[in-house]
Amino acid sequence: MNDLSKILNTLNDRQAEAVRTTEGPLLVLAGAGSGKTRVITVRIAYLIAEKGVPPHNILAVTFTNKAAAEMRSRVEEILRGERLPSAPLISTFHSLCVRILRQDIEALDEGYTRSFTIYDTDDSQKVIKACIKDLGFDEKSLAPRAVRAAISASKNRGEDHEIYASKVEYGDDKRLKIARIFKLYDERLGRANALDFDDLLLKAVRLLKVSSEVREKYNDRFRYILVDEYQDTNSLQLSLIRSLTEKSSNICVVGDDAQSIYGFRQADIRNILSFEEHFPDAKVILLEQNYRSTQTILDAADAIISNNREQKKKKLWTENPGGERIFYFQAMDGESEARFVVSKISDILYSDRATRVAVLYRTNAQSRLFEEALRRNRIDYNIVGGFSFYERAEIKDIVAYLKLSLNPFDDVALMRVINTPARGIGKTTLDELQRAARAAGGPLWRTIEAVATGEGSSGANVTPRAREALRSFYGTLKKLVEKANAPATGDHPVSDLVTAAIEETGYAGALRAEGTDEAQSRIENLEELVNAAVEYDHQEGNGLRDFIDHAALTSDTDKYDRDAAVTLMTIHAAKGLEFPVVFIVGLEDGVFPHSRSLSEPKDLEEERRLAYVAITRAEKRLYISHAMRRRTFGEEFASEPSQFLNELPLEMIEDVSPGPSWLSYAKGGTGVVRESIVRPPLPPKKAYTGKTYNSADAIAEFFKDRGKNIGQKGGSAPSGTPEAHQTPFDRLKAAGSGVGPEDRPSHAAEGIVPGSYVIHDRYGRGLVLRREGSGDSSKLTVSFPGYGQKKLIEKFAGLRTE
DNA sequence: AAGTAAATTTTTTTT
DNA sequence: AAATTTACTT
């Protein structure tokens, strides 16, 4: 009996069926922790070893490099010892498209050549910014960022600028402008022989549509296709898959609609829900047995997700024991939350050095507090996301030189390095060059060439000094271009080219001359880049182009070290991973769920799925925490517990907060009245300026206020919410404004403190952010979803509390 | 043209 | 609070 059949025997019936169903369309609906990756990897091995499918006929597509790398190594593990004639292609959607386009983009006949450049988000935004400026539009009303997002969304729906323009409604001035920017942007990208991230998909899809020859070629090549995380595919990705499966229809997709969390990238959950319509005669297999988590954790996840309307009913079950309850911690502020998490991590690592812990947050910005706390305690950690190696300025500079050496028409790269290091080519000169290039309708490089060589008319009027500087820059770059394009016989290794870009451009020289610590660390980073190139030369050695593509398409997520004891990352980045111990932090309304998701029920459901993903990462133990106050943009705000907390059954939560907490309130309402229930109202934000309850003064203040409230007889319960029928959420919310249900004042006005909600006749429900003044002249700043922040005179606004 | 001070912005989530 | 962009000197 060989290894593979041994492995097959360890699979459950459903999993084995998914592996053995190799022909025709197959949808595997795989719940969290149901052994999805195992099924995919064993299936690939099965196709090769059992069915005799040549490996290069197999394509597996993932969303992230991390997932692709993981899959590759696990397939290798299973097939260890087998001698294979070729390797299956396991790739992300984006690298697959790059691969196709590098081969065949010329068949698209849109003027692009195989040496096209890839623009990252940053590059695109620069082009868009320039477009806005050149069209004479106002940057205030048309933020480059927002325009980029609109264009990207359009492209991900498979719509180019013409379709976008055709959908603009009459009189919609803003979209009309965006349509014009969109058009100009695409023209400029075309002229620079550049594709943005979205174009990679868009053009590949179009190429397969336009050229039956190319389509046939890849249909013949990829006879067995697998797609991971299918619930996250968008319409472009669906088109791509459909084009590639015209002949074989051996398409296996794996996913979980409950884990669809990329709607913001136009992922369309209907792709997985309608798979059987898109691919007739599809077979569907459900994987519902969870091997990862305790029953408690699954129950918690189920409790959250069952608040969603849109979902395919699935019931996860496990043979694992019930396990511990979920630990809950309420922190005073973000810092104390981080201290709690780190002290727990410290305990956990002390008792079991081999365990792995993850801290999961909604946004990257939240990582800082945890990093600081971990560093203070000298605990090593691994952070995923945020700033990646390839995003560092010095790395991007050198990569820009390298990109230019392959495609000098890349205007963005050219502008990036033309005066980096400083060569005396200033703003005046650059403006003039850009103007001239635009007038000539050609790339910047041509204009510079004309100025530097004196051949032809550049149309640019530059000072003699600038001309001299340009001549020298032109010479430097020209040499780099020649080196990169040297014939294969005298081939330069990539590392040589990288070194040349660092040294011969004067880049390293300028840094050394600086002599600061920062410059030193930049030099070290560049050394690391050279090391990466040396490594690359040893391993793959597919030339400079591949190296640069790799840099463009690699996010830091594949730097993820699966053996690290402590990992910090966003919930998005954690998808597909599992950890014995998980901390979900920042469970506050506005943070998680994110404030931008509160107004649309659709968005809120996606946040809920995100919560589901977060919870189901945990194997044995789960901590959830939130802070009462949090600093954002340097200002401190009162924050409320996340509504998701209220969706958890209280009996499965264990409170480990030091004093009374929201949870005590919530539980108190179920019959147990604790003495410590009464808390002071949260003072208006102003009273805090600079102070925290850590300082002695503030603690004194705390007790002073506390004394006032104890024994105070509360008024009637808020209208429409009889106490007996309060939901846990209502109870928590009452606590959220620092006012227990018993203590709520009868007059609405006095209940309006920052952090509480009010109802306005016109704007509806809003969150009170700030209160200024008192009595008749008091003003409130209230944030109304859909209307923004409003400043209201309390006396005239006619506000009601809930 | 380059360096400094002041003003403005930043936080979803990712290839 | 930190980082980035713009406006002002030299």
Side-chain angles (χ1 to χ4, degrees):
Chain A
M1 190 157 85
N2 62 28
D3 278 0
L4 186 61
S5 42
K6 258 189 237 158
I7 291 168
L8 271 173
N9 282 338
T10 67
L11 298 179
N12 69 35
D13 291 351
R14 299 271 183 77
Q15 291 173 326
E17 193 186 356
V19 167
R20 289 206 179 90
T21 310
T22 58
E23 310 302 305
L26 172 67
L27 165 63
V28 180
L29 274 173
S34 63
K36 178 194 68 157
T37 312
R38 199 163 157 74
V39 166
I40 298 179
T41 50
V42 175
R43 186 184 157 93
I44 294 172
Y46 182 83
L47 281 168
I48 296 169
E50 204 63 38
K51 293 293 223 172
V53 175
H56 72 272
N57 285 146
I58 300 171
L59 167 69
V61 200
T62 64
F63 278 85
T64 64
N65 293 296
K66 179 176 61 179
E70 170 83 9
M71 203 177 285
R72 235 175 270 133
S73 82
R74 284 176 68 167
V75 171
E76 261 167 43
E77 212 172 287
I78 300 172
L79 292 176
R80 193 172 2 100
E82 301 259 345
R83 194 121 23 102
L84 301 178
S86 57
L89 181 58
I90 301 178
S91 150
T92 65
F93 273 104
H94 286 82
S95 9
L96 170 66
C97 290
V98 170
R99 189 178 275 256
I100 293 173
L101 294 171
R102 287 263 180 245
Q103 283 275 317
D104 296 300
I105 195 170
E106 275 145 43
L108 187 58
D109 214 19
E110 288 186 14
Y112 279 99
T113 73
R114 294 167 56 169
S115 52
F116 64 84
T117 295
I118 301 169
Y119 276 180
D120 65 17
T121 313
D122 224 52
D123 300 330
S124 311
Q125 197 153 313
K126 279 183 185 157
V127 178
I128 285 167
K129 202 172 169 186
C131 291
I132 294 173
K133 204 176 140 210
D134 293 342
L135 286 168
F137 296 152
D138 178 24
E139 239 184 62
K140 291 263 151 48
S141 54
L142 282 165
R145 227 181 114 73
V147 176
R148 202 209 69 230
I151 291 175
S152 172
S154 172
K155 285 185 174 181
N156 274 300
R157 286 191 301 268
E159 300 171 353
D160 59 15
H161 68 257
E162 280 169 13
I163 302 178
Y164 184 89
S166 72
K167 287 192 170 175
V168 174
E169 279 170 41
Y170 182 79
D172 192 339
D173 192 43
K174 195 162 180 176
R175 296 213 177 175
L176 209 61
K177 282 177 176 166
I178 293 176
R180 287 183 60 199
I181 298 164
F182 197 164
K183 180 158 186 279
L184 184 60
Y185 168 74
D186 269 358
E187 282 168 8
R188 289 194 180 171
L189 252 53
R191 238 176 288 155
N193 200 18
L195 298 174
D196 66 23
F197 278 151
D198 308 317
D199 285 335
L200 296 176
L201 288 168
L202 191 66
K203 303 287 184 193
V205 165
R206 199 178 294 167
L207 172 62
L208 291 170
K209 193 167 287 171
V210 181
S211 165
S212 54
E213 222 169 287
V214 173
R215 191 167 64 243
E216 202 153 316
K217 174 173 151 188
Y218 290 103
N219 265 275
D220 288 339
R221 158 97 200 253
F222 302 125
R223 293 186 22 238
Y224 291 86
I225 298 181
L226 294 99
V227 185
D228 192 15
E229 307 283 12
Y230 191 69
Q231 75 281 356
D232 289 330
T233 52
N234 61 30
S235 73
L236 272 181
Q237 286 150 344
L238 174 63
S239 306
L240 186 77
I241 298 299
R242 294 184 90 160
S243 295
L244 289 175
T245 51
E246 266 179 11
K247 271 192 176 171
S248 74
S249 85
N250 296 324
I251 168 79
C252 167
V253 307
V254 184
D256 178 4
D257 56 296
Q259 295 186 62
S260 160
I261 54 174
Y262 283 96
F264 68 98
R265 248 169 59 186
Q266 315 306 311
D268 192 340
I269 199 165
R270 285 173 307 182
N271 285 357
I272 194 165
L273 299 178
S274 314
F275 180 79
E276 294 148 273
E277 289 157 41
H278 296 150
F279 298 91
D281 303 320
K283 184 167 174 176
V284 181
I285 295 177
L286 252 70
L287 302 183
E288 292 178 302
Q289 180 174 4
N290 175 292
Y291 295 94
R292 179 186 294 155
S293 313
T294 65
Q295 189 63 53
T296 307
I297 288 165
L298 288 187
D299 287 346
D302 190 62
I304 295 272
I305 200 75
S306 61
N307 288 284
N308 272 3
R309 289 169 164 270
E310 303 273 339
Q311 57 174 325
K312 266 198 177 178
K313 254 286 171 250
K314 248 187 286 58
K315 189 71 197 173
L316 277 182
W317 59 278
T318 185
E319 287 173 355
N320 292 341
E324 299 171 298
R325 288 201 290 176
I326 293 161
F327 296 106
Y328 159 95
F329 184 79
Q330 169 183 303
M332 212 55 124
D333 51 27
E335 282 80 10
S336 106
E337 182 183 38
R339 275 198 301 277
F340 165 75
V341 169
V342 171
S343 82
K344 281 294 161 211
I345 289 177
S346 171
D347 292 350
I348 291 162
L349 293 183
Y350 187 78
S351 62
D352 179 8
R353 293 185 70 98
T355 200
R356 295 176 307 115
V357 177
V359 180
L360 307 182
Y361 35 78
R362 179 62 179 81
T363 66
N364 279 306
Q366 288 167 260
S367 71
R368 226 195 70 226
L369 293 173
F370 297 95
E371 285 189 74
E372 283 169 3
L374 285 163
R375 231 175 281 159
R376 266 201 306 278
N377 287 274
R378 299 184 203 292
I379 298 174
D380 286 338
Y381 64 91
N382 206 275
I383 184 160
V384 178
F387 224 61
S388 89
F389 180 69
Y390 291 104
E391 276 172 280
R392 290 166 203 268
E394 61 274 21
I395 303 299
K396 287 197 83 171
D397 289 341
I398 299 307
V399 170
Y401 275 113
L402 295 170
K403 281 165 101 175
L404 278 173
S405 71
L406 294 174
N407 174 22
F409 300 155
D410 181 344
D411 281 2
V412 173
L414 187 58
M415 284 298 285
R416 184 178 183 99
V417 298
I418 191 166
N419 202 32
T420 319
R423 320 187 149 82
I425 303 170
K427 194 174 181 306
T428 327
T429 311
L430 288 179
D431 284 348
E432 174 61 13
L433 286 173
Q434 282 191 304
R435 191 203 55 74
R438 204 130 294 155
L444 212 49
W445 177 247
R446 287 258 178 271
T447 304
I448 291 169
E449 195 166 41
V451 173
T453 61
E455 288 165 25
S457 57
S458 65
N461 192 10
V462 299
T463 63
R465 208 166 65 170
R467 180 188 302 264
E468 206 36 59
L470 282 169
R471 196 169 292 158
S472 145
F473 173 71
Y474 177 77
T476 310
L477 208 49
K478 191 86 193 208
K479 256 191 264 164
L480 213 55
V481 170
E482 275 157 17
K483 201 163 199 174
N485 294 298
T489 41
D491 215 2
H492 293 282
V494 173
S495 51
D496 278 8
L497 295 165
V498 174
T499 311
I502 295 171
E503 293 295 340
E504 285 163 31
T505 55
Y507 198 93
L511 279 179
R512 286 191 202 104
E514 231 180 278
T516 60
D517 283 357
E518 204 201 316
Q520 183 53 41
S521 102
R522 284 172 189 242
I523 291 171
E524 279 160 21
N525 283 331
L526 292 178
E527 279 164 4
E528 214 178 301
L529 183 68
V530 175
N531 288 340
V534 171
E535 183 81 359
Y536 176 83
D537 282 329
H538 279 298
Q539 293 200 341
E540 325 179 37
N542 273 330
L544 181 59
R545 181 143 291 141
D546 261 28
F547 182 73
I548 295 173
D549 284 350
H550 181 76
L553 296 175
T554 300
S555 76
D556 39 334
T557 33
D558 27 278
K559 228 178 55 199
Y560 164 69
D561 171 8
R562 72 167 110 163
D563 299 321
V566 182
T567 306
L568 268 49
M569 61 183 140
T570 63
I571 299 165
H572 282 88
K575 194 172 65 164
L577 304 176
E578 55 189 17
F579 302 87
V581 182
V582 168
F583 290 84
I584 305 172
V585 300
L587 274 159
E588 293 142 45
D589 260 6
V591 177
F592 187 23
H594 195 272
S595 52
R596 310 260 269 244
S597 313
L598 292 175
S599 47
E600 287 289 323
K602 208 172 111 269
D603 293 341
L604 191 63
E605 293 216 341
E606 180 153 317
E607 294 284 311
R608 204 172 269 120
R609 291 193 293 269
L610 202 49
Y612 178 82
V613 169
I615 294 169
T616 53
R617 295 314 93 197
E619 292 168 1
K620 296 203 165 64
R621 186 186 285 188
L622 179 64
Y623 288 91
I624 53 183
S625 62
H626 65 96
M628 290 163 74
R629 285 180 276 121
R630 190 173 287 280
R631 229 174 173 46
T632 328
F633 301 147
E635 257 198 299
E636 205 164 58
F637 292 97
S639 46
E640 285 201 74
S642 167
Q643 60 191 92
F644 296 154
L645 281 174
N646 304 284
E647 295 172 2
L648 291 170
L650 299 179
E651 63 276 10
M652 61 169 70
I653 305 176
E654 183 168 333
D655 195 347
V656 292
S657 318
S661 67
W662 275 296
L663 191 65
S664 354
Y665 279 104
K667 285 200 172 171
T670 61
V672 191
V673 180
R674 302 226 308 235
E675 224 181 11
S676 54
I677 271 179
V678 180
R679 299 181 61 79
L682 212 60
K685 205 217 100 216
K686 283 212 155 173
Y688 279 113
T689 39
K691 271 195 227 162
T692 71
Y693 280 133
N694 292 328
S695 76
D697 282 1
I699 292 170
E701 208 173 291
F702 179 94
F703 282 107
K704 205 173 73 198
D705 282 347
R706 189 188 163 91
K708 258 191 238 157
N709 269 306
I710 290 174
Q712 175 188 322
K713 200 73 199 137
S716 63
S719 59
T721 322
E723 247 169 89
H725 293 110
Q726 274 188 320
T727 64
F729 185 29
D730 289 326
R731 269 179 266 124
L732 294 192
K733 223 166 42 215
S737 53
V739 184
E742 290 297 327
D743 310 305
R744 195 171 280 235
S746 50
H747 300 299
E750 288 167 41
I752 302 178
V753 293
S756 65
Y757 281 99
V758 291
I759 296 167
H760 186 276
D761 285 337
R762 195 143 116 235
Y763 303 128
R765 187 168 178 271
L767 177 65
V768 180
L769 298 178
R770 197 167 311 192
R771 184 188 183 131
E772 293 160 277
S774 59
D776 282 355
S777 67
S778 80
K779 292 190 207 91
L780 298 168
T781 307
V782 186
S783 171
F784 294 100
Y787 295 95
Q789 289 186 12
K790 302 279 171 200
K791 220 168 202 178
L792 308 165
I793 311 276
E794 192 182 325
K795 195 178 159 204
F796 298 114
L799 297 171
R800 284 171 288 130
T801 49
E802 346 182 66

